[in-house]
Amino acid sequence: MVKRARPRAKEMEAAAAEASRRARHLRAISDATAAERELEELVFGDSLVAEEGELLQRLAGPQVSAARSGALPCRSSDSESENEAKGGLSSKGPAWVDEDDEAEERIDMTHRYRRELMKSDAEKILTKKKLKARLEEQFQRAMGGVPAWADRENRKKYKQAASDSGSDEDDDLLCRTGNFVSSSESLPRGILEMKSCLPANQERLADGKLSTVQFHPSAQVVLTAGRDRSVSLFQVDGIRNPKIQSIYLESFPIYKARFSADGEQVIATGTHHKVFYVYDMMGGSIIPVHQVRGMEEKFVKNFEVSPDGSFMLLTGTSGYLHLLSMKTKELISTMKVNGRTTACAFTSDSSKIYSYSKEGEVFIWDVRSRKCLHKFEDEGSLEGKCIAVSKNNQYVACGSVSGVVNLYTTDVCLKENHPKPVKAIMNLVTSATSVTFNPTTEILAVASNEADEAVKLIHIPSYTVFSNFPVFRRKQIYLTQSMDFSPRSGFFSIANNKGKALLYRLKHYSDF
């Protein structure tokens, strides 16, 4: 009995000590001034005024009950406490209610951005709801109804149907073919997506052979010229291609015509004439150039214009090349090759000239010094016909009388005398008379003027031919005289001997 009484005496002593501590605390609270008590209530609430025993009992209540039941006390996690705090905050109402928010906002419709939405002068002021309805009405009128993505009813029905179908749609998807991949930036091989448009010169077809077609370097305009002694300009829209202007050169069948680099002039040479013409489009005048001092040539036919607009290169007889100033049309220098030059091409930076001889040799000239930098032989060429340099200066294409077009890299051409072509294109069975690269160096067009439909488009990265061009069931190309791509490859045009500049829209390219 004595042993059991000792622990109970200790418990009674601890309870008495706790009661005295509470009494001291209550006296301290009661001794506080009225101002201090009011400040504490504002900052901490009424909890400090309550008795400390009750506060401790509330805080310790769950633990005491848990201890009595024999269960271990559990510590709530941080996430639970956060959730409780969030729940407490979300249950609270708004801090205040502004009466102006409930009032209907009125909007001034006479503002310059909203005038078009007014139906009458009585609608100078509209409520926000009416303006929203007016905007929705205008949007639906422009879209031809409510779009599928904006129709909530249809979207709910579609989602419900999709959930009901389950895996049936997946099986259906695997049974169908289609373009499920977005278009790549690089041109794919195999099939070239294109659309045949009305001829570029539909509003004025040439009477006879059309010798030249060329796109303007900066405007959406195409140039055509032919043996009917006319030069015509058309606006290219792919639908109607309206005519802009035509000029007539009397007794002057045109052999070749070209835009200047800035697009402000057109240079035209004749089939059997020493004179050539310069058409100033800005001034509207036609200037004949009868004689170039220092140049002795019976005929002026083939020529090239440098991409930077500084030079004009005339191909003479007996291997002579005459370099003229584009500004003054005066002779700067003359170069000569062994044999007879049949075709020339500037590099895109206008620093070099590639000249192709009838003997199958290619001479590379430095424009500034007018010296021959290198010479190489075109593999297997019996007679050179045409040459072209890609816009990125990576490739050189040489077409010969046998119909073979050899494709070289410029690095090899500048180093070796007998370079090996990266690809020998043998799709033509008659002489290759025209070669041209598109501006992105992804397509090489090769053609012959000795056979109908003799045009091929080659995919450069893979060196393969696009199988869907030309379409032989619809014969319309006939004898190809000239070809050109628009500045951003959106269009491709072919001039034939029937007086038409055939026009094709290349769908891979979005710009003109």
Side-chain angles (χ1 to χ4, degrees), residues 430-447:
T430 53
S431 298
T433 55
S434 300
V435 288
T436 183
F437 289 91
N438 81 316
T440 61
T441 316
E442 292 177 308
I443 304 174
L444 171 64
V446 300

Side-chain angles (χ1 to χ4, degrees), residues 457-476:
L457 299 179
I458 291 86
H459 183 250
I460 290 297
S462 64
Y463 311 122
T464 56
V465 176
F466 289 105
S467 59
N468 62 321
F469 187 84
V471 182
F472 292 101
R473 294 179 182 176
R474 293 180 293 173
K475 189 175 179 180
Q476 58 180 354

Side-chain angles (χ1 to χ4, degrees), residues 475-504:
K475 189 175 179 180
Q476 58 180 354
I477 296 178
Y478 298 101
L479 304 182
T480 302
Q481 306 299 316
S482 176
M483 302 180 295
D484 194 30
F485 291 91
S486 61
R488 290 180 179 82
S489 304
F491 288 91
F492 174 59
S493 185
I494 301 174
N496 64 17
N497 67 328
K498 302 293 184 181
K500 292 183 178 181
L502 305 176
L503 188 65
Y504 301 91

Side-chain angles (χ1 to χ4, degrees), residues 71-114:
L72 293 173
C74 296
R75 296 177 61 187
S76 61
S77 64
D78 296 338
S79 60
E80 289 176 355
S81 62
E82 288 176 3
N83 292 335
E84 290 176 2
K86 290 177 182 177
L89 290 173
S90 61
S91 63
K92 293 181 179 180
W96 68 84
V97 177
D98 193 348
E99 296 178 356
D100 293 336
D101 291 342
E102 298 178 358
E104 212 166 8
E105 185 180 351
R106 296 182 176 275
I107 298 171
D108 182 16
M109 298 298 294
T110 58
H111 192 274
R112 56 177 180 155
Y113 292 144
R114 305 187 193 100

Side-chain angles (χ1 to χ4, degrees), residues 291-297 311-325 330-337 341 344 353 355 365-372:
Q291 178 68 39
V292 177
R293 187 177 298 177
M295 188 180 73
E296 299 295 332
E297 295 288 346
F311 306 105
M312 176 179 174
L313 184 69
L314 293 174
T315 303
T317 56
S318 303
Y320 283 101
L321 298 172
H322 305 286
L323 192 66
L324 277 63
S325 169
E330 293 180 350
L331 182 66
I332 297 174
S333 181
T334 297
M335 299 163 282
K336 188 181 185 305
V337 302
T341 302
C344 295
I353 297 171
S355 63
W365 302 87
D366 180 62
V367 174
R368 182 167 294 181
S369 63
R370 268 81 70 183
K371 291 182 179 180
C372 184

